[in-house]
Amino acid sequence: MNTQQAATFIGSIAILLWGSLALLTQLAGTHIPPFQLMAMSFAIAFLFMLGRWLLQGHLGIHHLRTNTKSWLLGVSGLFGFHFCYFLAMDKSPAAEVSLIAYLWPIFIVLLALLLPGERLYKQQLAGAGLALLGCFLLLSGDSNGFDQRHLLGYSLAFASAIIWAVYSVAGRLIPTVNSETIGWYCGATAALALCCHLYWEQTQWPHKPQQWLALIGLGLGPVGAAFLCWDYGIKHGQIQLLAVLSYAAPLISIVLLTLAGSSEMRLEVALACLLIVAGSLCASRVKTPTAKSINKQ
């Protein structure tokens, strides 16, 4: 396994972790306001990164000293995506918001064409199309169609998809910024989310020990480790393949909810599974040229 393949594998771990997001959020308690949940989970993610730094024998201060552009990209990506997404969920039906927000993988595939040395292969385009179709089939089961009355929410969901795609692709342009810096971005996102919570919401705390455990798991996994793995993957791995593989996240989510008894297995899930797997296999068949083969040319 070469360096690029290893980075792609590490990036795919984020997708697996994001698949547990819905279940852990549900276990943490649906009564917790979204911006409070966001602030708490990102604060836990920051503490997780701080723990990593302490084990390495430092406080991560040198990761704090990055350039302004990196800070703007990191914080606007993490906070901007979640800010638009949560507001969209508040103003429009969840099914339609999810459908629009999950356009970000196909946006990554297309925006990656702007990166130096990147090109779009037929297999990647076909795989992205199959996976996108599977994702829409999966998420549209509870949809009642798009309603113009929810245009603001739809626009915010679309904005969240654009923000995450731009964040992911632009991260490729700053490969020298250590992925560990994501810890400080998480800390800043937690602070901004806390401000939104104090302005808009009433504080609600978890009632049971298992809810606290789920909240900690949320901060350590889908928020903490996931963003660290994703940052490394998009900077050093096959970004277009990672984008296609990302369509597996909602599938994993529904499977976990079904196993937990919170959802029912439907025919749409099985068909979506086939389409997403087929799309991922199709996209993964691309063999990018190695440095050695390029030099021969």
Side-chain angles (χ1 to χ4, degrees):
M1 183 182 292
N2 59 37
T3 303
Q4 187 185 52
Q5 290 173 332
T8 304
F9 173 76
I10 292 172
S12 65
I13 294 175
I15 300 167
L16 294 174
L17 292 172
W18 285 334
S20 66
L21 180 64
L23 179 60
L24 288 173
T25 300
Q26 186 180 79
L27 292 176
T30 55
H31 66 284
I32 301 177
F35 283 111
Q36 180 189 345
L37 186 64
M38 179 179 167
M40 294 174 73
S41 57
F42 272 95
I44 292 171
F46 172 73
L47 293 175
F48 161 70
M49 293 301 301
L50 181 60
R52 279 176 55 89
W53 298 331
L54 289 174
L55 289 175
Q56 295 168 5
H58 59 86
L59 291 174
I61 301 299
H62 59 288
H63 296 311
L64 183 61
R65 301 185 187 122
T66 185
N67 58 66
T68 304
K69 291 182 179 179
S70 299
W71 265 99
L72 288 175
L73 177 65
V75 177
S76 63
L78 295 184
F79 178 74
F81 169 79
H82 290 88
F83 180 83
C84 291
Y85 182 76
F86 280 143
L87 285 183
M89 292 290 282
D90 182 60
K91 296 181 179 299
S92 301
E96 286 81 356
V97 168
S98 298
L99 284 171
I100 298 172
Y102 242 92
L103 288 171
W104 65 260
I106 195 69
F107 288 156
I108 290 179
V109 171
L110 298 175
L111 287 175
L113 294 174
L114 302 176
L115 294 171
E118 291 289 340
R119 55 172 293 192
L120 182 63
Y121 295 88
K122 293 180 179 178
Q123 297 97 317
Q124 290 173 326
L125 185 59
L130 286 172
L132 178 63
L133 179 60
C135 183
F136 269 50
L137 181 64
L138 185 69
L139 296 175
S140 62
D142 298 324
S143 176
N144 294 317
F146 292 93
D147 190 333
Q148 290 186 350
R149 292 176 299 176
H150 302 299
L151 185 60
L152 177 59
Y154 299 155
S155 300
L156 287 166
F158 188 82
S160 72
I162 293 292
I163 289 171
W164 191 251
V166 171
Y167 163 77
S168 299
V169 173
R172 185 83 164 203
L173 299 175
I174 48 172
T176 55
V177 176
N178 196 305
S179 293
E180 298 276 337
T181 309
I182 204 79
W184 290 109
Y185 301 159
C186 287
T189 300
L192 290 171
L194 178 61
C195 293
C196 292
H197 164 65
L198 295 176
Y199 184 78
W200 276 309
E201 301 170 338
Q202 292 292 326
T203 302
Q204 298 288 334
W205 298 106
H207 302 314
K208 303 176 182 178
Q210 55 265 38
Q211 292 178 330
W212 281 103
L213 290 175
L215 181 61
I216 293 172
L218 191 65
L220 295 179
V223 176
F227 288 127
L228 178 63
C229 292
W230 183 253
D231 187 80
Y232 186 82
I234 60 174
K235 286 179 178 176
H236 307 288
Q238 293 178 263
I239 187 171
Q240 291 172 325
L241 177 57
L242 282 171
V244 176
L245 293 175
S246 297
Y247 283 116
L251 177 63
I252 296 170
S253 176
I254 289 183
V255 169
L256 289 177
L257 288 171
T258 301
L259 293 175
S262 300
S263 180
E264 295 182 359
M265 182 59 70
R266 310 187 310 270
L267 177 61
E268 291 92 337
V269 176
L271 292 176
C273 179
L274 291 175
L275 287 169
I276 291 172
V277 170
S280 300
L281 289 174
C282 183
S284 65
R285 290 179 64 84
V286 173
K287 293 184 178 180
T288 56
T290 61
K292 185 176 181 181
S293 64
I294 293 174
N295 291 334
K296 285 183 178 180
Q297 295 176 2

